[in-house]
């Protein structure tokens, strides 16, 4: 069944209608010269051109999240609840790569036993995707089987066309939002193929080599990793900006009266990540850590789930202070050209 | 809201036993009586133990599923959380969440001769499956136990080792590294792989449970192979750093395997097929 579709004047007009319907909205806004997802109250605050510095994952998987609290009694300990998730929110203007990233996180956190703190936040988010008509130099969604107008992870997808904006209703949650928008949307259909083709043509050609998952597994012992990692600083930026990276640490914050247990983002690029209490470290050098990142995304995950754990947003390539390009390193290692 | 994925159960410290100068065993009982009745686990599974204010640490459940009404863990003093857990006394409250992970294949072990080898604190996971098997003694063939440590003072579960030694239906041997024996030592002297070769268990219809530090595992596997044991006959456990126990935090993987979900129990054959990154 093809999704129900509507037409609207513009993405801005859809956002105006969502705000008018009283919805809480988080959308890209300009902050200190960078784009970031933030709470907006007026449609004009949203900046709908360009890519946000960090991905949209934060709303569902925040940098710091309180899992529960505790109070020291005398005697005993009293457990206190975890964070109260934010009110139901429309996450507006999410690029197809970021929306697909949320779909991957849904798979990880939703797999049994499910992660309750993630699901509690996620259940309150409606994703309004926005197709990409101006790809960036580092974009690579087509290399990982997505496209600038892909629907994965969106509840509604907006695609700007010459005659206005096409609205695809993809889930029941999307349909429920449409019901609130009244006149702003009119039933109608349009073909987004031309927009897709134009955006894809504007992207730098990138492709993953055939058989990459097996090739990388076979290249586990290759020298290529040491060569690549000689440049990597182990700063973790790549993981923090990535829409699919989900590693976390669990830490306590406390005083004499009580405290809370938090989960905080972590990254496999840090030397302490796998360090045992005994001092032994299974990934003792940056080569092993960089290899872990590349293999998790392009070998271990695809072998289990049939697709890369990368949505091709290109952020890691763009943000890396050492100019590392994971697509290039993975392809080189798999080809055994270290 | 639902936070139960990471929220521990409150437990009362019912007993504190010092095994060695730096290894302590805690016996924990559930403060919630309903949980005490419904809690079930299998030998080989692990749990997260909370010292509120400091954090949580992963230890195997060292008691056996046949010992009901409590769980026990034995841990070595290493850092922040283990220091805080050592500050607890009987009657104090701590946190526990679990059980997690797979378990020793006890059903496949039925009808076999069993060899249990534990080095140092590695005796903790061995203890769970060993006591489980001893409590079902008639279902197994010959049982051999080898408990080793650096020195006599580092040998854990000494009282139990003595009780096992006194039994006529098991062969129990304790050993210390050369130079680790002290006045009145009545066990073997030698590294575990060497003592194992002297004991010379027959591979025929036998399963081996082997837990301990990586170096001991490595050389014991070489000895076992020399004696004719296959990788499928040897069962061991892996310890990777863990934060979640449920396949989310991305910390414990070895290649495509997550030690918290696919392990911690693996056969030597399974480990040989993984990337050598542990
Ligand atoms: C499945 C499994 C079963 C285990 N069973 C047992 C058992 O039965 N008995 C036993 O004694 N041990 C067992 N262990 C090992 C045990 O989990 C560790 O020894 C223990 O967690 C150390 O905790 P600690 O808080 O005292 O040390 P910590 O203070 O947490 O850590 C010691 C060192 O680790 C590093 N570290 C810890 N946390 C961080 C962080 N957040 N960031 C950076 N570095 C950090 C630091 O270098 C620190 O000095 C098991 C481990 C696993 C995975
Ligand atoms: S690849 Fe780049 S961004 Fe990632 S850890 Fe290395 S230096 Fe940092
Ligand atoms: S690995 Fe890089 S390109 Fe792929 S999704 Fe993550 S940040 Fe984007
Ligand atoms: S402990 Fe978190 S993924 Fe295994």
């Amino acid at each position: 069944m093809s999704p129900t579709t509507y037409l609207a004047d513009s993405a801005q007009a859809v956002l105006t209608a969502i705000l008018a319907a009283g919805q809480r909205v988080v959308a890209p806004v300009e902050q200190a010269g960078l784009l970031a997802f933030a709470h907006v109250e007026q449609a004009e605050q949203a900046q709908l051109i360009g890519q946000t510095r960090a991905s949209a994952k934060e709303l569902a998987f925040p940098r710091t999240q309180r899992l529960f609290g505790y109070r020291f009694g005398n005697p005993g300990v009293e457990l206190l609840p975890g964070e109260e998730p934010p009110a139901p929110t429309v996450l507006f203007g999410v690029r197809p790569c970021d929306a697909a990233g949320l779909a991957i996180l849904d798979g990880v956190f939703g797999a049994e036993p499910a992660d309750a703190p993630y699901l509690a936040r996620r259940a309150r988010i409606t994703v309004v995707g926005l197709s990409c008509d101006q790809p960036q130099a580092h974009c690579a969604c087509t290399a990982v089987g997505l496209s600038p107008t892909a629907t994965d992870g969106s509840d509604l997808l907006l695609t700007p066309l010459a005659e206005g904006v096409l609205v695809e209703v993809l889930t029941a949650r999307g349909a429920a939002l449409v019901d609130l928008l009244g006149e702003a949307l009119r039933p109608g259909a349009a073909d987004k193929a031309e927009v897709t083709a134009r955006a894809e043509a504007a992207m730098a050609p990138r492709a993953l080599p055939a058989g990459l998952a097996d090739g990388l597994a076979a290249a586990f012992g290759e020298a290529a990793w040491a060569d690549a990692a000689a440049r990597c600083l182990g700063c973790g930026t790549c993981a923090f900006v990535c829409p699919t990276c989900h590693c976390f640490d669990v830490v306590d914050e406390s005083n004499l009266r009580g405290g809370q247990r938090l989960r905080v983002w972590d990254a496999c690029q840090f030397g302490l990540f796998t360090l045992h209490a005994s001092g032994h470290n299974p990934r003792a050098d940056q080569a092993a850590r960089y290899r872990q990142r590349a293999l998790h995304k392009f070998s271990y995950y695809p072998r289990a789930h049939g697709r890369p754990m990368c949505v091709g947003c290109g952020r890691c390539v763009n943000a890396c202070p050492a100019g590392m390009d994971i697509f290039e390193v993975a392809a080189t290692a798999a080809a055994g050209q270290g | 809201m639902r936070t139960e994925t990471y929220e521990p159960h409150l437990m009362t410290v019912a007993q504190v036993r010092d095994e060695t100068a730096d290894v302590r065993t805690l016996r924990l009982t559930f403060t919630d009586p309903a949980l005490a009745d419904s809690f079930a686990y299998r030998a080989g599974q692990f749990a997260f133990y909370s010292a509120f204010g400091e954090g949580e640490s992963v230890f195997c459940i060292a008691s056996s599923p046949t010992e009901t009404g409590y769980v026990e863990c034995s841990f070595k003093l290493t850092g922040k959380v283990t220091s805080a857990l050592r500050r607890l006394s009987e009657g104090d409250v701590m946190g526990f969440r679990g059980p997690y992970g797979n378990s020793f294949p006890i059903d496949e072990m039925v009808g076999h001769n069993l060899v249990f080898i534990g080095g140092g604190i590695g005796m903790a996971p061995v203890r769970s499956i060993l006591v489980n098997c001893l409590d079902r003694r008639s279902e197994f063939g010959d049982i051999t136990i080898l408990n080793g440590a650096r020195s006599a003072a580092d040998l854990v579960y000494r009282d139990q080792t003595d009780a096992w030694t006194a039994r006529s239906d098991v062969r129990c041997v304790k050993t210390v590294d050369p130079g680790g024996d002290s006045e009145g030592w009545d066990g073997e002297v030698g590294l575990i792989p060497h003592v194992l070769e002297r004991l010379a268990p027959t591979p025929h219809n036998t399963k081996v449970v082997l837990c301990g530090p990586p170096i001991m595992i490595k050389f014991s596997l070489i000895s076992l192979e020399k004696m004719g044991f296959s990788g499928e006959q040897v069962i061991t456990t892996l310890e990777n750093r863990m934060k979640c126990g449920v396949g989310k935090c991305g910390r414990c993987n070895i290649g495509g395997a997550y030690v918290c979900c696919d392990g911690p129990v693996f056969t030597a054959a399974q480990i040989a097929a993984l990337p050598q990154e542990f």
Side-chain angles (χ1 to χ4, degrees):
Chain A
M1 197 189 81
S2 56
T4 314
T5 60
Y6 293 84
L7 293 171
D9 290 344
S10 65
Q12 285 280 349
V14 177
L15 176 55
T16 304
I18 293 172
L19 287 163
Q23 299 294 296
R24 180 177 189 268
V25 175
V26 166
V29 301
E30 202 177 302
Q31 284 180 348
L34 295 172
L35 292 189
F37 281 98
H39 186 206
V40 300
E41 280 169 1
Q42 267 134 25
E44 301 72 52
Q45 291 172 274
Q47 172 54 266
L48 300 181
I49 297 171
Q51 185 180 50
T52 51
R53 187 54 167 312
S55 82
K57 75 179 172 189
E58 280 186 67
L59 204 62
F61 175 49
R63 290 163 199 233
T64 303
Q65 184 171 27
R66 172 183 161 112
L67 298 173
F68 60 88
Y70 44 84
R71 198 179 292 136
F72 299 127
N74 194 12
V77 172
E78 185 194 351
L79 288 182
L80 306 172
E83 70 156 13
E84 187 58 38
T89 300
V90 173
L91 188 50
F92 188 91
V94 180
R95 297 297 176 188
C97 52
D98 277 8
L102 282 173
I104 287 177
L105 294 186
D106 290 348
V108 171
F109 287 113
E112 280 303 317
D115 187 287
Y118 175 89
L119 295 186
R121 279 184 162 250
R122 188 67 180 87
R124 296 179 175 210
I125 299 171
T126 304
V127 178
V128 179
L130 177 62
S131 291
C132 232
D133 49 3
Q134 294 178 18
Q136 319 263 315
H138 54 258
C139 283
C141 60
T142 49
V144 295
L146 292 166
S147 93
T149 65
T151 55
D152 300 26
S154 288
D155 295 303
L156 296 182
L157 178 67
L158 312 185
T159 304
L161 309 166
E163 60 270 42
V165 62
L166 170 69
V167 182
E168 292 173 81
V169 184
L170 301 157
T171 66
R173 207 180 288 174
L177 180 59
V178 165
D179 285 345
L180 302 175
L181 303 186
E183 309 276 283
L185 305 186
R186 22 181 213 284
D191 190 358
K192 65 178 182 182
E194 197 196 321
V195 176
T196 311
R198 204 166 353 102
E200 287 182 356
M203 289 171 63
R206 273 182 192 273
L208 296 181
L212 183 62
D214 292 339
L216 281 173
F220 191 87
E222 289 290 330
W225 303 115
D227 293 349
R231 286 191 287 144
C232 172
L233 309 169
C235 67
T237 301
C238 48
F240 290 158
V241 297
C242 179
T244 68
C245 276
H246 54 82
C247 289
F248 60 82
D249 195 2
V250 175
V251 295
D252 276 36
E253 208 176 67
S254 66
N255 58 30
L256 290 176
R257 291 183 303 281
Q260 54 184 348
R261 184 154 300 159
L262 306 170
R263 80 154 141 216
V264 294
W265 286 1
D266 206 343
C268 63
Q269 298 307 294
F270 296 147
L272 294 179
F273 190 69
T274 48
L275 181 66
H276 287 202
S278 64
H280 171 65
N281 194 343
R283 294 187 204 122
D285 55 25
Q286 204 55 31
R289 299 191 274 271
Y290 193 86
R291 175 179 61 198
Q292 160 64 19
R293 177 171 169 80
L295 265 67
H296 190 196
K297 297 208 172 282
F298 297 111
S299 182
Y300 307 147
Y301 186 92
R303 283 176 150 191
H305 302 280
R307 54 152 307 159
M309 201 185 75
C310 165
V311 293
C313 71
R315 283 190 182 88
C316 60
V317 178
N318 192 38
C320 176
M324 300 284 281
D325 180 330
I326 194 168
F327 300 101
E328 220 173 84
V329 176
T332 306
Q337 299 161 357
Chain B
M1 63 158 291
R2 299 199 315 145
T3 52
E4 67 268 32
T5 316
Y6 300 103
E7 212 174 83
H9 303 304
L10 294 180
M11 310 291 281
T12 306
V13 177
Q15 201 185 84
V16 178
R17 295 198 306 273
D18 278 324
E19 305 292 347
T20 71
D22 63 357
V23 175
R24 177 168 285 185
T25 297
L26 298 180
R27 176 175 294 186
L28 311 176
T29 53
F30 289 89
T31 52
D32 176 354
L35 268 168
D37 293 337
S38 64
F39 184 75
Y41 64 98
R42 301 182 305 277
Q45 291 192 287
F46 64 90
F48 286 78
Y49 301 79
S50 281
F52 294 109
E54 298 295 348
E56 52 184 10
S57 257
V58 182
F59 312 126
C60 68
I61 302 179
S63 48
S64 155
T66 48
E67 300 170 305
T68 53
Y70 59 84
V71 290
E72 285 188 354
C73 63
S74 299
F75 60 91
K76 195 178 167 91
L77 172 63
T78 39
K80 214 166 106 177
V81 176
T82 46
S83 301
L85 290 173
R86 282 181 72 93
R87 291 196 289 270
L88 299 175
S89 4
E90 283 170 25
D92 284 347
V93 172
M94 59 179 274
F96 172 91
R97 64 181 176 97
Y100 296 110
N102 69 353
S103 53
F104 289 107
I106 191 163
D107 295 333
E108 289 168 33
M109 291 159 68
V110 166
H112 287 75
N113 303 315
L114 304 177
V115 180
F116 295 94
I117 308 166
I121 187 68
M123 201 56 200
V126 170
R127 184 192 178 279
S128 180
I129 182 67
L130 167 61
V131 172
N132 202 170
C133 293
L134 289 177
D135 285 342
R136 295 166 50 176
R137 181 68 191 87
S138 60
E139 299 174 53
F140 306 94
D142 294 343
I143 291 184
T144 305
I145 303 163
L146 176 53
N147 180 6
R150 251 181 334 216
S151 76
D154 289 308
L155 203 74
V156 297
Y157 306 137
R158 237 163 327 160
D159 294 350
Q160 278 159 314
T161 304
D162 289 344
W164 297 326
T165 306
R167 285 174 72 137
S168 58
D169 59 351
V170 301
R171 176 162 64 149
C172 180
V173 174
K174 56 185 177 184
T175 183
V176 294
D177 292 356
D181 51 325
S182 48
E183 192 72 30
W185 174 247
D186 56 349
E188 301 273 329
V189 176
L191 297 171
I192 284 182
H194 300 155
V195 178
L196 181 62
E197 286 183 33
R198 267 184 260 149
L199 288 174
T202 154
H204 178 70
N205 196 36
T206 300
K207 297 267 188 200
V208 181
V209 171
L210 172 69
C211 301
I215 190 80
M216 170 212 133
I217 303 261
K218 187 174 159 197
F219 287 104
S220 300
L221 284 175
I222 295 172
S223 296
L224 286 163
E225 201 180 324
K226 257 200 295 193
M227 288 185 271
F229 286 88
S230 74
E232 283 79 21
Q233 284 175 281
V234 182
I235 309 156
T236 182
T237 56
L238 287 177
E239 287 186 5
N240 279 32
R241 274 193 74 182
M242 296 183 177
K243 290 291 175 172
C244 72
V246 288
K248 317 292 186 205
C249 77
R251 196 174 295 258
C252 71
N253 75 297
I254 299 174
Y258 282 78
V259 176
C260 66
C261 299
D262 304 316
V265 177
F266 295 91
T267 62
Q270 286 171 325
I271 288 179
L274 290 172
Q276 299 302 293
E277 194 175 64
F278 39 82

